[in-house]
Amino acid sequence: MSADWYHSPAARTWTGDSAAAPVRQFHRSMPGYAPTALHDVPDLARELGVASVRVKDESARLGLPAFKILGASWACANVVAARFGTDPTDLPSLRRAAEGERIEFVTATDGNHGRAVARMAALFGMTSTVFVPAAMVASAAQAIADEGARVERSKGDYDEAVAEAARYADQARERALVQDTAWDGYVQVPEWIVQGYETLLLEIDEALPEPPDLVVVPVGVGSLAQAVVSHYRRDSSSRRPALLSVEPRTAACALASLSAGESVTVAVGGSVMAGLNCGTVSASAWPVLRDGLDGAIAISDEQALHAAADLNRAGVSSGPSGASTLAGLRAALAVPERRRALEITTTSTVVLLNTEGSRQAPRADTAGSPAPS
Ligand SMILES: Cc1ncc(COP(=O)(O)O)c(C=O)c1O
């Protein structure tokens, strides 16, 4: 196997044990909820020699330009529900229960998650403090501050920002750490976040007449990929798609861990795929990815930028982290041995999780919009 590619023949028949949570009911109670579009892009299907390429468009999710608020919202709801003894599935009653109370939501982020937590804090009338890596571009930090968060710039990378956020949250009772990655002793909140991502997968189920043959997912800490594997490996009787993860070459912690057979931390460099620029797989995600991912691939910044430009030209708003899935699919299907490993043929349907929009203003008008082609 090359350094950029990993394949596990046993993953397709593995069945996990995670139960589904009532997240869809909760998201339906949020203002502005609508399923996002699953675009059909026939030009890509022709290029890649498959029957259909469907692109899940997360450029306008609950008013933000990325999927992350699905997890952040469900986690914040559960934090509030646990503090005040209320039902987490209904946003209006949670807000009533939290009225006049004080919680400071704390998190660290490469961008999208922190912005989503800040948005949820404002929705609950709470405060938020968001730790960001030293290298975060000013506009991304400003977007978080614009949601009402206090932004703390770490001196280090993403992993260091996470450690700082955890230390800060520990110092006062009203602070609640809402982190989208798990480690020894910190698993409940990340579990809620992973559950929250299920809504995106249920929407895909509803939009397709039958399960796809391949789902391609971008990986930062692997929580979204954990949700994907949990969803498609839950029921041993249903048709199972192949599952392929994609990471930047400069932050390929899942690929390195899968290749090593144990969770390893990689030193991260800079990447245009800001949301994927993480050096350690979430502790809860690791065993699930190890057992249930069919393939993992790493790509360059140039490949991601090229893919983002192609998706935007096809009418699908996409940034490099989201478009990494198209770049990863291209890199996988270009090699016959990898194509065979993923069991992809000319009759296959592929779903790409395009997890963020292009770095322009959120397009709140496009949720549920028709396919661009
Ligand atoms: C746009 C985007 N895509 C994908 C991911 C990866 O998600 P995870 O960190 O759960 O692997 C992120 C994470 O922040 C992101 O912002």
Side-chain angles (χ1 to χ4, degrees), residues 188-200:
Q188 177 62 83
V189 170
E191 192 55 41
W192 286 326
I193 287 174
V194 171
Q195 287 174 357
Y197 298 154
E198 177 98 13
T199 287
L200 182 158

Side-chain angles (χ1 to χ4, degrees), residues 6-9 11-12 14 215 217 219 225 228-229 233 243-245 254 258 288-296:
Y6 166 88
H7 169 235
S8 164
R12 197 73 80 92
W14 178 77
V215 178
V217 55
V219 165
V228 168
V229 173
R233 299 285 184 261
L243 305 174
L244 172 68
S245 71
L258 291 164
V288 177
L289 305 195
R290 178 196 61 204
D291 293 338
L293 266 184
D294 297 83

Side-chain angles (χ1 to χ4, degrees), residues 30-373:
M30 288 188 71
Y33 170 76
T36 56
L38 186 66
H39 300 297
D40 191 3
V41 189
D43 284 353
L44 287 179
R46 264 190 298 279
E47 173 201 321
L48 292 159
V50 296
S52 162
V53 173
R54 306 294 297 261
V55 182
K56 185 65 171 160
D57 179 353
E58 292 297 306
S59 65
R61 174 60 85 175
L62 290 161
L64 290 178
F67 78 103
K68 299 288 303 191
I69 193 166
L70 289 174
S73 58
W74 179 238
C76 289
N78 275 279
V79 167
V80 170
R83 291 242 170 149
F84 307 123
T86 46
D87 169 11
T89 58
D90 182 61
L91 185 68
S93 41
L94 282 169
R95 286 169 74 173
R96 276 194 299 278
E99 233 161 47
E101 304 285 350
R102 185 168 146 65
I103 299 179
E104 178 185 356
F105 291 112
V106 179
T107 196
T109 187
D110 265 331
N112 292 313
H113 172 70
R115 190 171 171 194
V117 169
R119 171 72 60 99
M120 288 310 298
L123 211 59
F124 281 116
M126 306 293 177
T127 57
S128 57
T129 299
V130 178
F131 289 76
V132 303
M136 178 179 279
V137 295
S139 57
Q142 190 57 49
I144 298 166
D146 289 346
E147 301 289 342
R150 190 166 68 83
V151 175
E152 285 283 335
R153 199 173 272 274
S154 162
K155 288 197 171 47
D157 61 9
Y158 171 80
D159 284 2
E160 181 52 34
V162 171
E164 283 173 35
R167 280 196 298 274
Y168 174 81
D170 256 358
Q171 287 162 10
R173 212 196 90 70
E174 76 268 16
R175 294 180 189 161
L177 184 67
V178 184
Q179 200 57 61
D180 54 347
T181 187
W183 57 85
D184 207 11
Y186 184 74
V187 292
Q188 177 62 83
V189 170
E191 192 55 41
W192 286 326
I193 287 174
V194 171
Q195 287 174 357
Y197 298 154
E198 177 98 13
T199 287
L200 182 158
L201 302 161
L202 292 170
E203 290 172 4
I204 293 172
D205 289 348
E206 286 161 14
L208 289 178
E210 49 185 31
D213 300 289
L214 170 64
V215 178
V216 190
V217 55
V219 165
V221 297
S223 290
L224 175 62
Q226 181 186 349
V228 168
V229 173
S230 301
H231 180 77
Y232 289 108
R233 299 285 184 261
R234 183 169 286 136
D235 178 357
S236 55
S237 62
S238 65
R239 198 174 103 196
R240 288 154 164 251
L243 305 174
L244 172 68
S245 71
V246 184
E247 292 168 287
R249 276 192 192 131
T250 49
C253 54
L255 179 65
S257 300
L258 291 164
S259 305
E262 61 179 332
S263 181
V264 295
T265 293
V266 299
V268 303
S271 171
V272 294
M273 292 165 266
L276 313 187
N277 202 19
C278 309
T280 310
V281 177
S282 163
S284 301
W286 163 242
V288 177
L289 305 195
R290 178 196 61 204
D291 293 338
L293 266 184
D294 297 83
I297 200 158
I299 54 152
S300 67
D301 276 6
E302 201 185 350
Q303 288 169 303
L305 288 170
H306 184 191
D310 287 347
L311 284 173
N312 284 300
R313 246 193 313 276
V316 184
S317 175
S318 180
S321 295
S324 67
T325 49
L326 172 57
L329 178 68
R330 281 174 165 157
L333 297 192
V335 180
E337 175 210 332
R338 297 175 183 173
R339 204 182 177 93
R340 270 195 302 280
L342 297 170
E343 297 177 27
I344 294 305
T345 69
T346 51
T347 63
S348 299
T349 294
V350 180
V351 169
L352 301 178
L353 303 187
N354 174 45
T355 48
E356 65 174 357
S358 72
R359 291 173 189 162
Q360 286 150 14
R363 304 184 319 159
D365 55 316
T366 55
S369 64
S373 50

